[in-house]
């Protein structure tokens, strides 16, 4: 189950990257490709081993980032699909992050995202996935993350995103109730959302809830002016965005705020140019990959959100990304899904 | 003094006051053999803290460094009938009455030195509760921190902003983001700069009296520098930029003595010196004491501990600091300034239209310097006469006329300094300065550092001392080494302190 | 991987670290293998619990291990509970005498003691047995709580640890909620912004039935210590509307409290105008409260011709076709349907239906419990309804006074700091809260200035200016001579991005 087996032997495609004085004003395209490709290649990489509990999401981050860079063929499609398949729980229908771990909503979405990207949803038991997701909805419309009862708006997003990709949102869950629960997590002061009713607004959870409303075609429930203001105030002088007031900027928050603003048709409320500068400054020009902030250690998670953010900002050489799913737009188009997006009025 | 005392030392230090102790510790720390002696039977000289009884005794017997002592017992106030002369004396040992009280800037020279040298493990401090000012005869707390400014009711909205803005500008002064128009004030006075910021009278008073601690003639640079020092010390421990040593300032010289002892320094109290002579090339000094002659390469001496034979070289002893000390049954100022039994507060007072100043430190029992329910008020001003009470009269009037606390005991005394302390050419002995009129220990540390660098030109002044567990000498058990080399009275204290003070412990 | 600074290490250091990691990894893999083996063999015992501790203490994010712990706990507590039941069943006759009153309980205690004495050894053993079992049960929960506490010290943002703590407390009918509240206080001292702790605090204070007043005091204390605390302002915003409700529902809370809050928040901003923590709270205070949320279908404008009707909504309402919408004259009622959206936002709808309009009669539009009186358009005798957006909420004299004082403070401040972003925006909002019309130009001037001083958000201020301009034009429109036939578009507004465009269905001509 090591990532090693997913990586095709390098075909020397990175030879084009001869630009040795690596600077952060330009996208270090091939460095990043190499970084993702190498991620976990070393048999005994400590970080890699210790993050096996979220492996499925790790694969989604890597696969999506490479696809956005049009380098998906660097990974071994067959073994990844086999891996995903092995992680489906025969009893519940949900997906575990890797073998030996328990299924969870988070990894179920990641698994479905990976298979959607590979156009291979037919290899798994989709009915069982639907059953799993439906079974986790609660009478108040919220969703558990797994059978142990943690409730969070993240799981509401995972549920509808999974079902949307499977095209099974109708006649499965109670969408009205699900919407009502998400809206009960909306805060009066700033129009944002937290993880549960009463929880403080947080850019990551706002992305989940805005994405949820986009998937359920309910964006009109948002107070766009109020929330949009809060979101655009996340941009700091460095150009980076933070997740909450008076916090440090971070590449992943930059994605969450950016995608939410895009869905709400308010991308022009922040400075795209400055944000791009910030994201590029978080590249590791030595090893490739993006970190949370300039000068920090890169990781695969921030690498996807760095690349994704640049794609959403229209950076050349990258495929378009869908703001709701954080997946390549062509795949969402191929599936014929149309998450709601507001146009600016 | 034991008879097996070695007869030869690299350095002999006379007097266990602050600067002398610093030098002794610094020398010992770099491996010099040090003998540290004091004519008194206590550590600290004029830097020590005393029990009430010992303090009275001191005032009764004038010495070379302290004179004009007097004290008065006052009728117990109606509100506090239980505090009589007798009850106070019963608790005599619960008092730590300082001869030279000071506060330390949290990021000032003293604290930096304590941290750098790792002596902080012997020391414990309390953060001051309030820095005060007198505004329209009323004692008010000066908002120091961001949250103070936010919470204070004494400033209007716009004043809050103006104060914050002014302080931010001072903080940024000299940095890249420094405001251009501030530069235009170089060479002018700080007051002119302050006025140009269009601040209100109240804010100007806050800044001049309590934050920059300036007078009208202070230069722009001085004011800036002092304000920056104040600001740099904020937000470290507690709500004000100041710390006060728990159990009184007398603890501090002892911290340095402790370090000196840990590195092999030898201590002798109650040892007077009859004479000091030296070889013609002044490479060796001979010190005769109690019929014995000790040889040293260098001698450092506190002004009050000079042998009578040498004292004339340094001129006459003149009044240097006028001190007042009051024990009161109620604190100065309102409840706000004395929450939960009283604050440890600081106030700078001005007289003669800002020509003269005094410093007031109020200690509640939280300082460990007096019993609960009582307050010590230390008043200090540069002396200009042999009558300390008269020197302080203008300030006591300001303090006690409108805000009178219930005073139970009052004392006055003068600390002296020789007229020619800096006359180093006269003898090869390095003479330290008497306690200066200052808030912190900057001058005292500078003095110690200066003397040390004259003696040991190329050595580091008090580098980080290893923790006890890091010291291993000749295969000895490190803790045994420590205890062994310590004088009896310090041994017990060290034991307690090692347990209590791993790092500097700030009581809130 | 958040916040890990990249440090250059020496070759030697790297080697040492590498070796250490190999060992750690080997230990991890061995433990995981053993855990999985035991779990699939159904050995949910103390050894398994012990193994999970080893890993969770270092890495609390491995949710599967928490799941395994829960399985173990359920197994153990299940066994204990059935043992307890058995024991209690043997003592059932005495135990069932229990009644609610204190005296009786006391009496019972005595009876029990006497009986114990009477029945001798066997029975007292049973009683201690019950106590011992109950103690064992509590010990199981305590172990879990201790472990989560330890893990939260390592990683205070571990979703899994927080959830496991909640789960454990939910399992235990004798959970000590007061202790949990203390824990929150402690953790919030370390990190006053940890939203997990705040969430947990809300959960715990509900369980412990902490009065809202007490929570508000806690919030106030936190803000006094450091007002740069968005979490605390947020918590406050949840408490105030219930503690100080507003009768008219046009403000978030009672006017009296609102005044106090406005003052506090302004004080924070004056102390440090660059700290954004209180901005959102302040703007919420200055806003119009819950009014709009209560009314999901808010009609902006309506127009009806003999052959069709058009309806404009303030906010999109996709479910409009499901509503019963009636046009009622003195003589007749028309059910207007079906409705089709005519713009993407679904704020404009059209219904093609023939209606007989007699200008001499009164017509009313009825939908969603509202009855809107219609007027007659003189040009073509069509019926119409129009209400301009955003009528400002009414102000009591006291509140108005407070707002004016605050505005004055802000304007004073602008004298000193003309480029202060917060002050520019706040004073514009205050002006609009005091007198939208009178301060219209001045508030727009502030937005123009903001475009310069806060260039990152230029697009936001531009849009806001457009909205305010259009709101003013729409508000003034009914007083113009050509109303409602002609609407003169304000010059600054381009035709492509017109806010409130749906309101213009009432006009025949929109001139620019």
């Amino acid at each position: 189950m090591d990532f090693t087996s997913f990586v095709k032997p390098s075909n020397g495609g990175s030879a084009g990257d001869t630009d040795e004085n690596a600077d952060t004003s330009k996208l270090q395209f091939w460095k990043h490709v190499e970084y993702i490709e190498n991620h976990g290649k070393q048999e005994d990489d400590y970080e890699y081993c210790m993050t096996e509990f979220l492996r499925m999401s790790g694969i989604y981050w890597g696969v999506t980032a490479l696809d956005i860079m049009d380098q998906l063929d660097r990974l071994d499609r067959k073994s990844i699909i086999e891996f995903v398949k092995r992680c489906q729980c025969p009893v519940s229908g949900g997906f575990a992050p890797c073998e030996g771990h328990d299924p969870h909503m988070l990894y179920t979405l990641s698994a479905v995202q990976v298979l959607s990207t590979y156009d291979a949803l037919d290899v798994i038991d989709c009915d069982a996935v639907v059953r799993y997701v439906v079974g986790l909805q609660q009478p108040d419309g919220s969703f558990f993350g797994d059978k142990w009862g943690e409730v969070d708006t993240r799981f509401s997003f995972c549920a509808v995103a999974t079902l949307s990709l499977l095209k099974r949102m109708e006649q499965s869950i109670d969408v009205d109730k699900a919407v009502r629960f998400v809206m009960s997590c909306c805060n009066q002061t700033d129009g944002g959302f937290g993880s549960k009713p009463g929880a403080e607004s947080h850019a990551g959870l706002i992305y989940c809830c805005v994405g949820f409303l986009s998937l359920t075609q309910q964006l009109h429930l948002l107070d766009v002016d109020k929330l949009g203001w809060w979101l655009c105030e996340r941009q700091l002088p460095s150009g980076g965005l933070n997740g909450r007031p008076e916090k440090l900027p971070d590449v992943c928050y930059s994605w969450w705020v950016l995608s939410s603003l895009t869905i709400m048709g308010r991308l022009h409320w922040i400075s795209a140019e400055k944000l791009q500068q910030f994201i590029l400054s978080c590249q590791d020009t030595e090893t490739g990959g993006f970190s949370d902030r300039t000068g920090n250690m890169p990781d695969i998670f921030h690498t996807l959100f760095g690349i994704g953010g640049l794609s959403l900002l229209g950076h050349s050489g990258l495929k378009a990304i869908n703001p709701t799913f954080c997946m390549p737009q062509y795949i969402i188009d191929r599936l014929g899904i149309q998450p709601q997006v507001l146009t600016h009025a | 003094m034991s008879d097996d005392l070695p007869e030869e030392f690299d350095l002999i230090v006379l007097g266990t006051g602050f600067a002398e102790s610093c030098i002794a510790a610094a020398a010992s720390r770099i491996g010099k053999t040090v003998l540290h002696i004091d004519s008194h039977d206590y550590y600290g000289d004029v830097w020590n803290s005393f029990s009430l009884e010992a303090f009275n005794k001191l005032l009764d017997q004038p010495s070379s460094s302290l004179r004009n002592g007097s004290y008065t017992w006052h009728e117990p106030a109606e509100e506090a009938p239980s505090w009589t002369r007798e009850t106070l004396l019963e608790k005599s040992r619960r008092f730590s009455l300082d001869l030279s009280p000071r506060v330390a800037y949290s990021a000032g020279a003293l604290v930096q030195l304590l941290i750098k040298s790792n002596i902080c493990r012997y020391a414990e401090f309390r953060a001051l509760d309030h820095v005060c000012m007198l505004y329209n005869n009323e004692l008010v707390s000066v908002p120091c921190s961001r949250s103070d400014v936010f919470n204070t009711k004494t400033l209007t909205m716009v004043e809050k902003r103006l104060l914050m803005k002014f302080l931010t500008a001072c903080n940024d002064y000299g940095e890249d983001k420094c405001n251009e128009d501030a530069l235009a004030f170089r060479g002018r006075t700080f007051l002119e700069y302050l006025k140009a910021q269009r601040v209100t009278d109240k804010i100007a008073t806050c800044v001049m009296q309590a934050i920059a601690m300036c007078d009208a003639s202070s230069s722009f640079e001085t004011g800036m520098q002092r304000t920056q020092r104040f600001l740099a010390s904020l937000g470290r421990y507690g709500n004000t930029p100041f710390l006060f040593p728990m159990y009184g300032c007398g603890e501090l010289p002892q911290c340095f003595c402790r370090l000196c002892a840990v590195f092999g320094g030898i201590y002798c109290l109650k040892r007077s010196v009859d004479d000091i002579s030296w070889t013609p090339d002044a490479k060796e000094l001979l010190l005769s004491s109690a019929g014995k002659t000790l040889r040293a390469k260098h001698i450092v001496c506190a002004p009050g501990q000079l042998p009578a034979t040498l004292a004339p070289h340094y001129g006459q002893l003149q009044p240097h600091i006028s001190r007042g000390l009051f024990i009161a049954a109620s604190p100065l100022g309102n409840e706000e300034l004395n929450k939960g039994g009283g604050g440890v507060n600081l106030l700078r007072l001005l007289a003669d239209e800002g020509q003269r100043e005094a410093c007031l430190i109020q200690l509640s029992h939280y300082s460990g310097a007096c019993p609960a329910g009582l307050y010590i008020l230390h008043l200090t001003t540069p002396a200009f006469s042999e009558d300390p009470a008269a020197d302080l009269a203008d300030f006591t009037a300001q303090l006690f006329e409108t805000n009178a606390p219930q005073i139970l005991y009052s004392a006055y005394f003068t600390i002296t300094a020789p007229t020619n302390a800096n006359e180093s050419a006269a003898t090869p002995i390095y003479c330290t300065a008497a306690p200066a009129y200052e808030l912190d220990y900057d001058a005292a540390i500078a003095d110690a550092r200066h003397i040390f660098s004259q003696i040991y030109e190329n050595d580091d002044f008090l580098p980080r001392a290893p923790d006890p567990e890091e010291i291993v000498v000749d295969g000895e058990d490190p803790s045994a080494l420590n205890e062994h080399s310590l004088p009896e009275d310090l041994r017990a204290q060290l034991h307690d302190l090692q347990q209590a003070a791993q790092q500097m412990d700030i009581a809130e | 991987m958040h916040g890990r600074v990249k440090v250059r290490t020496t070759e030697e250091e790297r080697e040492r670290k590498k070796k250490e990691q190999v060992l750690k990894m080997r230990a991890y893999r061995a433990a995981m293998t053993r855990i999985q083996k035991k779990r699939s063999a159904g050995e949910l015992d103390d050894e398994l619990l012990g193994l999970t501790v080893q890993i969770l203490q270092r890495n609390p994010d491995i949710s599967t291990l928490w799941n395994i712990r829960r399985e173990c706990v359920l197994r153990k507590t299940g066994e204990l509970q059935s043992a307890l039941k058995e024991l209690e069943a043997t003592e059932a006759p005495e135990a069932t005498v229990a009644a609610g009153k204190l005296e009786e309980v006391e009496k019972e205690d005595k009876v029990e003691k006497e009986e114990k004495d009477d029945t001798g050894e066997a029975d007292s053993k049973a009683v201690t047995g019950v106590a011992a079992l109950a103690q064992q049960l509590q010990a199981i929960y305590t172990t879990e709580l201790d472990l989560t506490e330890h893990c939260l010290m390592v990683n205070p943002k571990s979703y899994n640890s927080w959830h496991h703590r909640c789960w454990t407390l939910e399992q235990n009918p004798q959970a000590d909620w007061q202790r949990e509240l203390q824990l929150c206080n402690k953790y919030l001292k370390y990190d006053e912004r940890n939203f997990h702790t705040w969430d947990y605090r809300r959960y715990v204070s509900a369980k412990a039935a902490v009065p809202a007043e007490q929570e508000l005091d806690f919030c106030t204390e936190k803000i006094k210590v450091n007002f740069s605390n968005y979490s605390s302002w947020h918590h406050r915003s949840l408490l105030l509307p219930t503690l100080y409700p507003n009768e008219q529902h046009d403000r978030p809370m009672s006017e009296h409290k609102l005044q106090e809050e406005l003052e506090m928040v302004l004080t924070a901003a004056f102390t440090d105008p660059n700290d954004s923590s209180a901005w959102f709270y302040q703007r919420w205070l200055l806003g119009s409260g819950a009014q709009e949320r209560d009314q999901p279908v808010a009609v902006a404008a309506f127009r009806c011709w003999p052959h069709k009707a058009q309806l404009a909504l303030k906010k999109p309402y996709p479910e409009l076709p499901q509503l019963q919408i009636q046009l009622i004259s003195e003589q007749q009622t028309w059910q207007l349907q079906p409705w089709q959206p005519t713009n993407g936002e679904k704020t404009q709808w059209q219904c093609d239906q023939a209606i007989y309009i007699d200008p001499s009669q009164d017509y009313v539009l009825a939908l969603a419990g509202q009855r809107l009186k219609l007027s007659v358009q003189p040009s073509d005798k069509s019926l119409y309804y129009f209400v301009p957006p955003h009528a400002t909420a009414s102000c009591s004299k006291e509140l108005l006074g407070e707002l004016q004082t605050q505005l004055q403070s802000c304007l004073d401040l602008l004298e000193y700091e003309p480029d202060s972003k917060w002050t520019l925006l706040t004073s514009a909002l205050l002006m609009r809260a005091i007198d939208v019309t009178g301060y219209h130009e001045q508030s727009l001037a502030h937005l123009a200035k903001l475009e310069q001083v806060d260039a990152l958000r230029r697009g936001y201020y531009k849009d806001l200016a457009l909205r305010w301009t259009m709101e003013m034009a729409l508000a003034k429109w009914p007083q113009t001579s050509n109303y409602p036939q002609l609407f003169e578009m304000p010059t600054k507004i381009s035709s492509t991005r017109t806010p409130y465009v749906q309101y213009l269905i009432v006009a025949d001509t929109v001139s620019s």
Side-chain angles (χ1 to χ4, degrees), chain C residues 260-388:
Chain C
E260 279 179 31
E261 293 298 301
L262 278 169
E263 197 187 331
M264 177 151 115
V265 94
L266 195 74
T267 308
F270 267 74
T271 308
D272 185 357
N274 294 319
D275 189 289
S276 68
S277 306
W279 295 355
F280 307 93
Y281 185 71
Q282 184 193 35
R283 196 158 173 184
W284 172 66
L285 292 176
L286 288 174
S288 53
Q291 167 190 46
E292 282 180 42
R293 220 167 69 131
D294 297 339
Q295 220 181 61
V297 202
V299 176
F302 174 77
R303 192 156 177 198
C304 181
W305 293 268
H307 56 284
K308 67 173 182 190
Q310 282 186 350
L311 183 63
L313 303 176
K314 290 187 175 178
K315 290 191 77 183
Y317 189 72
E319 289 85 18
L320 190 81
Q322 279 107 61
L323 285 183
Q324 190 186 48
I325 301 175
Q326 293 175 319
L327 184 70
I328 305 165
S329 75
E330 287 155 40
Q331 266 114 43
Q332 204 181 338
T333 296
W334 290 270
Q335 300 290 338
L336 298 184
Q337 62 170 349
W339 290 91
Q340 292 295 332
T342 57
N343 67 350
E345 279 79 49
K346 301 192 179 166
T347 50
Q348 271 183 50
W349 299 76
Q350 183 158 316
C351 167
D352 296 312
Q353 193 170 358
I355 295 151
Y356 174 72
I357 298 174
D358 174 1
S360 64
Q361 284 198 17
D362 286 338
Y363 289 83
V364 162
L365 179 72
L367 81 164
Q370 305 162 59
R371 291 175 67 85
L372 311 171
K373 201 169 172 303
L374 304 181
S375 313
V376 178
Q377 183 45 299
S379 59
D380 61 357
K381 305 286 180 256
S382 62
L383 301 169
Y384 75 95
Y385 170 84
F386 170 80
V387 58

Side-chain angles (χ1 to χ4, degrees), chain A residues 183-259:
Chain A
M183 287 312 294
S184 76
C185 301
C186 181
N187 289 312
Q188 278 298 292
T189 38
D190 51 32
F193 296 82
S195 61
K196 42 181 80 70
E200 178 185 344
S201 296
H202 175 286
L205 297 156
I206 288 171
Y207 163 75
C208 288
C209 294
V210 170
F212 171 96
L213 295 171
S214 148
L215 291 169
T216 51
Q217 311 289 319
Q218 301 288 318
L219 287 176
H220 63 277
L221 296 174
L222 290 173
D223 187 335
V224 173
D225 289 320
K226 207 188 252 183
L227 176 55
W229 182 52
W230 190 88
L231 287 170
C232 76
E233 282 291 346
R234 298 304 102 242
Q235 189 162 37
L236 302 173
S238 69
L241 306 173
N242 61 12
R244 291 189 287 155
E246 301 303 313
K247 291 279 185 183
L248 294 171
D250 185 319
V251 164
C252 71
Y253 289 115
S254 298
W255 161 264
W256 287 322
V257 174
L258 183 63
S259 56

Side-chain angles (χ1 to χ4, degrees), chain B residues 128-139:
Chain B
L128 253 63
D129 299 271
H130 295 278
V131 176
C132 305
M133 65 167 178
L134 271 178
Y135 188 72
N136 292 338
N137 276 332
E138 202 190 333
L139 195 66

Side-chain angles (χ1 to χ4, degrees), chain C residues 76-92 126-138 141 173-174:
Chain C
K76 282 169 76 176
T77 54
E79 282 167 5
L80 281 172
Q81 269 152 356
S82 50
L84 257 173
K85 244 179 225 156
E86 254 173 60
L87 266 182
E88 279 167 353
T90 57
E91 298 169 42
V127 173
T128 54
V130 171
L133 285 179
Q135 217 171 4
Q136 280 178 40
L137 199 58
Q138 287 307 313
Y141 298 131
Q174 285 150 37

Side-chain angles (χ1 to χ4, degrees), chain A residues 24-25 232 234-242 249-251 254 258 267-282 290 294 306 309-310 313 315, chain C residues 453-458:
Chain A
T24 55
S25 64
C232 76
R234 298 304 102 242
Q235 189 162 37
L236 302 173
S238 69
L241 306 173
N242 61 12
D250 185 319
V251 164
S254 298
L258 183 63
L267 186 54
H268 63 288
W269 282 7
I270 59 167
S271 164
E273 188 193 341
K274 292 278 284 182
L275 176 56
Q276 176 157 323
Q277 278 170 21
F278 171 79
I279 297 177
L280 289 173
S281 78
C282 296
F290 289 76
T294 317
L310 292 174
L313 291 171
H315 194 285
Chain C
V453 300
D454 187 22
L456 289 177
R457 281 160 280 273
R458 184 174 293 146

Side-chain angles (χ1 to χ4, degrees), chain C residues 414-440:
Chain C
L414 283 173
E415 292 272 306
Y416 293 94
E417 300 179 22
D419 290 348
S420 165
K421 167 188 165 174
W422 172 84
T423 320
L424 283 166
L425 184 58
T426 300
S427 47
L429 295 173
L430 284 165
M431 287 174 194
R432 292 177 59 82
I434 294 166
D435 177 5
V436 184
T437 320
Y439 282 118
H440 182 65

Side-chain angles (χ1 to χ4, degrees), chain B residues 365-381:
Chain B
H365 72 281
Y366 291 122
S367 65
C370 66
L374 294 179
Y375 302 85
I376 300 173
L377 305 175
H378 284 294
L379 200 52
T380 310
T381 193

Side-chain angles (χ1 to χ4, degrees), chain B residues 83 91-97 247-248 327-328 341 362-377:
Chain B
W83 292 112
K91 299 210 178 219
S92 165
R93 293 177 63 81
R94 300 279 302 281
F95 289 91
S96 286
L97 303 177
Y247 316 110
I327 298 173
Q362 170 184 293
L363 302 175
S364 69
H365 72 281
Y366 291 122
S367 65
C370 66
L374 294 179
Y375 302 85
I376 300 173
L377 305 175

